[in-house]
């Protein structure tokens, strides 16, 4: 854990007092008042995340997709902001997605990284972004996010940064997570028959497992046993016979075959699942497989994912946008931080800042209530911020192998 100046910064974030404890004769109201004042002071500190961030280890973002390469105008920036806010449509006339929780977070924390005042007008922020250029602006944002390492979900080459490009821009290590659906798509492009597709898929998975950190797949349900090979062949035949360019597999039998094949590699597997509850049987069936599974649910299912992580030793879950809720449902070492950022480098900044702020508030409340000590608050926050991801994804071993 941090010491010296960093420990002092964490103490500031979680509250300090050199005064002796009140005597037994002190009134309960005085104790309550002291707790309220302590909490208020700490919450004020939470508005200054730099002190808290210095006291945490560098964050490990266990799930993101990369940033766009090119310049963005107001319309295209808002389109990506809308996607981050959970909308698939344009803002109604006379409104803007800058008037959303994500939009406010961007305006609060990103302008200072580009040399502007916080909360400046969106048009001024985007003008500054264009003035700096997409590459330089992206570098400043990524390097100012407070993230020390990234797990990047990669697929087919596209408009988003690759692992090497993100590492150069962020000046930090990036560990690749292979998404299974685009992997199958690439294999299908070079396979002339069902037999060659199935064989080539197995070879591609084995080859990828030698150098990637984890696999990922989108799944709504998975049976407790691998699908029958004959069913897999029929599903592959249907998909190969009718697929269009860039079409990814969607047949349940084929997706389950890919998932079970990834589990067999022994690498961690991230499960993108809107609601993780239908996966409970699969989680139970894989308990002895020696593979860790990480649930990446959609809102509002993070609490349920945390409960499933608590129920199975090999299952972990994303801490979600409200870690106070998920930390109440699972052991602290079963939850991991992520931004889920896609396209906009600003989303790495806002994801990290919101997490740090949420953890600062939560730690302040716990310490003020006497629920835990300041060192315990630091340790718990460090687990969710980085420690669990380092262990689950074996990042120390990966660093040793490349060092």
């Amino acid at each position: 854990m941090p010491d010296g100046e960093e420990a002092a910064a964490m103490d500031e974030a979680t509250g300090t007092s050199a005064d002796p404890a009140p005597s037994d004769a002190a009134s309960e109201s005085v104790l309550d008042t002291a707790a309220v004042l302590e909490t208020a002071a700490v919450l004020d500190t939470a508005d200054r995340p730099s002190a808290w961030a210095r006291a945490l280890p560098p964050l490990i973002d266990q799930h993101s997709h990369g940033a766009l390469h090119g310049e963005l105008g107001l319309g295209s920036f808002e389109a990506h902001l809308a996607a981050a806010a959970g909308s698939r449509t344009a803002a109604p006339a006379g409104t803007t997605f800058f008037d959303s929780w994500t939009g406010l977070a961007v305006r609060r924390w990103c302008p200072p990284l580009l040399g502007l005042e916080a909360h400046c007008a969106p048009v001024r922020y985007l003008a500054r972004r264009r003035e700096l250029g997409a590459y330089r602006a992206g570098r400043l944002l990524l390097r100012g996010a407070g993230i020390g390492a990234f797990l990047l979900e990669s697929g087919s080459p596209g408009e988003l940064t690759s692992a090497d490009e993100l590492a150069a821009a962020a000046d930090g290590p990036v560990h690749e997570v292979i998404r299974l659906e685009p992997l199958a798509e690439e294999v299908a492009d070079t396979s002339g028959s069902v037999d060659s597709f199935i064989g080539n898929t197995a070879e591609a998975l084995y080859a990828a497992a030698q150098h990637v950190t984890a696999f990922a797949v989108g799944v709504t349900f998975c049976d407790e046993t691998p699908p029958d090979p004959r069913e897999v062949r029929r599903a592959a035949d249907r998909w190969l016979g009718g697929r269009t360019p860039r079409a990814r597999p969607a047949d349940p039998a084929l997706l389950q075959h890919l998932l079970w094949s990834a589990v067999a590699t022994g690498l961690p597997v991230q499960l993108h699942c809107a609601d993780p509850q239908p996966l409970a049987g699969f989680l139970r069936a894989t308990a002895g497989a020696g593979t860790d599974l990480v649930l990446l649910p959609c809102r509002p299912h993070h609490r349920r994912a945390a409960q499933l992580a608590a129920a199975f030793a090999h299952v972990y879950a994303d801490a979600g946008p409200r870690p106070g809720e998920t930390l109440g449902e699972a052991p602290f070492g079963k939850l991991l931080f992520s931004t889920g950022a896609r396209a906009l480098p600003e989303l790495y900044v806002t994801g990290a800042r919101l997490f740090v702020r949420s953890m600062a508030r939560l730690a302040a409340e716990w310490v003020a209530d006497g629920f835990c000590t300041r060192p315990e608050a630091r340790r718990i926050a460090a687990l969710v911020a980085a420690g669990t991801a380092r262990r689950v994804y074996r990042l120390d071993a990966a660093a040793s192998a490349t060092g």
Side-chain angles (χ1 to χ4, degrees):
M1 300 308 312
D3 53 17
E5 180 182 354
E6 293 185 344
M10 178 61 82
D11 288 342
E12 182 185 10
T14 54
T16 60
S17 176
D19 297 330
S23 67
D24 292 339
S27 69
E28 191 170 5
S29 62
V30 171
L31 292 175
D32 290 342
T33 300
V36 169
L37 291 174
E38 182 180 9
T39 300
V42 175
L43 295 185
D44 178 67
T45 302
D47 285 328
R48 295 179 279 119
S50 59
W52 175 260
R54 284 196 302 270
L56 284 173
L59 301 179
I60 295 178
D61 183 358
Q62 69 139 353
H63 167 234
S64 74
H65 300 270
L68 287 165
H69 291 106
E71 303 287 350
L72 295 174
L74 178 60
S76 53
F77 191 95
E78 279 226 30
H80 293 295
L81 199 59
S87 176
R88 297 180 181 274
T89 63
T95 69
T96 171
F97 279 105
F98 277 99
D99 288 336
S100 66
W101 182 251
T102 304
L104 288 178
V106 168
R107 293 180 60 203
R108 164 63 181 88
W109 286 302
C110 296
L113 295 177
L114 302 188
L116 298 174
E117 71 277 8
H119 305 297
C120 68
V123 291
R124 186 170 179 227
Y125 175 74
L126 292 177
R128 175 61 172 166
R129 212 177 182 275
R130 289 192 297 273
E131 177 188 348
L132 291 170
Y135 180 72
R136 186 179 176 196
R139 278 172 36 118
L140 291 170
L141 292 164
L142 289 167
R143 297 184 184 196
I147 299 172
F150 303 77
L151 273 75
L152 181 70
E153 182 179 300
S154 62
S156 301
E159 59 184 359
L160 300 179
T161 50
S162 66
D164 288 342
E165 290 168 334
L166 182 62
D171 192 26
V174 176
H175 307 276
E176 189 176 7
V177 177
I178 290 289
R179 182 79 179 228
L180 295 178
E181 296 95 315
L183 177 67
E185 177 191 349
E186 292 177 8
V187 171
D189 288 339
T190 59
S191 299
S193 67
V194 170
D195 287 336
S196 65
F197 169 74
I198 292 175
N200 292 342
T201 300
E203 292 180 4
L205 277 168
Y206 176 79
Q210 308 309 306
H211 65 87
V212 303
T213 297
F215 291 105
V217 65
V219 62
T220 58
F221 174 79
C222 188
D223 289 315
E224 298 182 25
T225 57
D228 187 293
R230 293 169 296 183
E231 186 179 357
V232 173
R233 286 180 56 83
R234 288 192 292 268
D237 187 47
R238 289 192 298 270
W239 180 56
L240 293 173
R243 66 186 291 263
T244 57
R246 300 185 64 82
R248 295 184 177 181
D251 189 290
L254 201 49
L255 287 175
Q256 292 188 37
H257 169 70
L258 292 171
L259 173 53
W260 278 101
S261 298
V263 168
T265 68
L267 288 182
V269 180
Q270 297 178 345
L271 304 177
H272 293 265
C273 46
D275 178 0
Q277 181 56 41
L279 294 173
F282 170 74
L283 302 180
R284 185 180 304 107
T286 53
T291 297
D292 289 329
L293 304 175
V294 183
L295 300 174
L296 297 174
C298 295
R299 289 177 293 182
H301 299 294
H302 286 86
R303 291 185 69 174
R304 185 55 185 153
Q307 292 167 355
L308 289 169
F312 301 103
H314 67 304
V315 177
Y316 297 80
D318 193 90
R322 297 182 179 88
E325 295 181 356
T326 51
L327 265 69
E329 301 291 348
F332 308 132
K334 300 301 289 294
L335 301 171
L336 305 90
F337 158 75
S338 78
T339 64
R342 180 194 293 272
L344 300 180
E346 284 84 354
L347 300 179
Y348 286 99
V349 177
T350 58
R353 292 290 198 275
L354 289 170
F355 170 77
V356 168
R357 182 182 177 86
S358 295
M359 290 302 299
R361 287 182 174 273
L362 185 62
E365 294 170 5
W366 286 5
V367 171
D369 290 344
F371 191 65
C372 69
T373 66
R374 288 188 296 274
E376 287 172 329
R378 291 196 294 266
R379 180 178 59 82
I380 292 165
L383 278 176
V384 184
T388 300
R390 192 170 297 283
R391 174 171 54 85
V392 170
Y393 296 109
R394 310 164 196 173
L395 300 187
D396 290 333
S400 299
T402 58

